[in-house]
Amino acid sequence: MIAELYLLNHSFKYQNDITIKELEKKIESLFEDYDFIREHNDKILKHDSIYDEIICPELKLSDLLYGNQNILNRDIKKLLSKIIDHSKSTSRTIEEILQLLDKHNEDAIYGLLCLHKVKSIEEKYLVYNRHNWFAFHRYFLGLYPISEKYFISECQKYFPHLFFHERVAETLKSLEKGLHHFSKSIIHHLTLLNDEFHKYYNSSNRTETLIKFSSACDIDASPQGNAKDKPKMTYEFINDSNTKEQVCCEPHLKLGQCDDNGDHHYYQNRIYFHEGKENIANGKILIGHIGGHIKFN
């Protein structure tokens, strides 16, 4: 899903007590992730209000960029200039842009690209860096999964440490109640798997890993108890030698609760995965199945 991200006066508003070094680090970080965001085809638009915004004590952004000010390191100043110059101008007013944030739908989503947090705007609409960009898109994918095929194609973009088997687009169709009732839950569990799992991973003790991961992240992660069931959780992945390799995706996350308020039914949906192999997909966690509980009998 392509987003429109705006640079507004809010994006550069001076934060009390921020040091010049801290400001330089934020500019450098934003620049690094700015190129990453553009490579993923999101539109970045600037509003003229940015130039009159106070970015550090008694200095407007325009003064910092185009005046004879030596407050910022020269290289950092160039990075800031590139962020501004490479963004297209918008004719929308500030009010129109802020109103757009809540007008998202499955065809269009909107946010602000910022150096700092903006207290007056909900966090879900703010992008400060690559991490927030992933969170921003994951949030809206949970709202608008559209279809199984679309959902997985988008997941491949926003979960860089996960590799999805091609069969997953089909296994999603086996979800009890359907994808649109579990998309937020799936995004939540995939986020923890992508962002947190490595902190608890112990290559010599899978059970201990899953126990610690479950406890720390408040989810239900388990190994499969019966060895005879393993063939049904084993899938072919292409390894670095370009040959098919059988991988058993035995560990699983339980998707017991759906997204619907008031629905207290416990569902038997699962995410089956493997911790990752060095010779497959650069060692990413392998996702073999997202859907209903695999029937072993």
Side-chain angles (χ1 to χ4, degrees):
M1 185 179 291
I2 304 300
E4 286 186 8
L5 299 174
Y6 288 86
L7 291 166
L8 290 184
N9 53 340
H10 301 68
S11 304
F12 299 102
K13 187 177 181 62
Y14 172 65
Q15 302 292 293
N16 290 332
D17 300 325
I18 189 171
T19 67
I20 295 301
K21 286 294 182 185
E22 290 170 337
L23 181 61
E24 288 179 338
K25 286 181 180 178
K26 289 195 172 192
I27 292 171
E28 186 174 17
S29 176
L30 181 62
F31 176 77
E32 291 172 355
D33 295 323
Y34 178 91
D35 279 349
F36 173 84
I37 291 169
R38 291 179 72 213
E39 287 169 4
H40 284 77
N41 299 318
D42 278 356
K43 299 177 182 177
I44 301 179
L45 302 151
K46 63 185 176 186
H47 187 273
D48 285 346
S49 61
I50 60 176
Y51 296 108
D52 289 327
E53 186 61 38
I54 301 296
I55 188 172
C56 56
E58 301 180 2
L59 276 181
K60 296 177 182 179
L61 179 64
S62 57
D63 298 328
L64 207 59
L65 288 176
Y66 310 120
N68 295 320
Q69 304 293 335
N70 297 315
I71 291 177
L72 289 185
N73 175 284
R74 184 177 61 181
D75 292 334
I76 298 296
K77 189 173 178 179
K78 287 180 179 178
L79 298 183
L80 181 58
S81 294
K82 287 180 179 178
I83 293 171
I84 304 301
D85 295 342
H86 291 177
S87 302
K88 293 183 178 180
S89 295
T90 179
S91 59
R92 297 183 192 273
T93 66
I94 294 176
E95 292 73 20
E96 287 172 338
I97 293 168
L98 294 179
Q99 289 172 6
L100 270 181
L101 299 180
D102 285 324
K103 294 182 178 179
H104 49 80
N105 55 57
E106 66 179 29
D107 297 315
I109 58 177
Y110 309 94
L112 300 186
L113 202 59
C114 307
L115 279 183
H116 320 288
K117 290 188 177 183
V118 182
K119 293 181 180 178
S120 59
I121 297 174
E122 289 185 74
E123 184 77 10
K124 64 189 178 187
Y125 296 127
L126 304 178
V127 177
Y128 320 106
N129 52 41
R130 188 177 311 197
H131 177 78
N132 291 109
W133 181 83
F134 284 130
F136 173 84
H137 273 283
R138 291 170 188 172
Y139 171 78
F140 285 107
L141 181 58
L143 285 183
Y144 306 114
I146 300 179
S147 70
E148 290 82 4
K149 184 177 180 180
Y150 174 84
F151 184 76
I152 287 301
S153 69
E154 293 293 284
C155 282
Q156 290 168 349
K157 301 176 188 176
Y158 309 132
F159 295 99
H161 302 308
L162 308 182
F163 181 84
F164 297 85
H165 194 285
E166 60 183 10
R167 71 189 299 275
V168 177
E170 284 300 313
T171 66
L172 281 168
K173 296 177 181 179
S174 69
L175 284 164
E176 286 187 89
K177 204 171 183 179
L179 173 60
H180 284 73
H181 298 277
F182 278 90
S183 54
K184 294 177 185 176
S185 178
I186 293 170
I187 291 295
H188 173 67
H189 284 77
L190 292 179
T191 295
L192 294 174
L193 204 55
N194 186 90
D195 298 353
E196 302 295 327
F197 183 78
H198 69 280
K199 299 177 183 177
Y200 311 99
Y201 178 54
N202 179 347
S203 61
S204 62
N205 194 324
R206 170 179 281 170
T207 300
E208 180 183 289
T209 294
L210 296 175
I211 289 172
K212 288 184 176 180
F213 179 51
S214 296
S215 176
C217 297
D218 193 25
I219 59 172
D220 194 342
S222 308
Q224 187 62 26
N226 201 327
K228 70 181 179 63
D229 296 331
K230 290 186 177 183
K232 289 193 175 182
M233 298 175 288
T234 300
Y235 314 110
E236 287 184 347
F237 289 87
I238 305 299
N239 62 26
D240 292 347
S241 300
N242 202 33
T243 58
K244 295 178 180 179
E245 184 169 332
Q246 301 288 323
V247 179
C248 182
C249 296
E250 175 188 347
H252 54 273
L253 309 180
K254 297 179 181 179
L255 305 172
Q257 302 298 321
C258 81
D259 302 334
D260 303 341
N261 290 330
D263 186 341
H264 303 297
H265 178 76
Y266 185 83
Y267 292 90
Q268 299 293 329
N269 293 318
R270 302 285 190 269
I271 298 175
Y272 290 86
F273 68 97
H274 185 277
E275 299 89 341
K277 305 189 73 174
E278 290 184 3
N279 66 326
I280 299 176
N282 296 315
K284 293 181 180 182
I285 293 172
L286 305 175
I287 309 296
H289 176 105
I290 304 175
H293 192 299
I294 296 174
K295 296 179 180 180
F296 298 109
N297 297 324

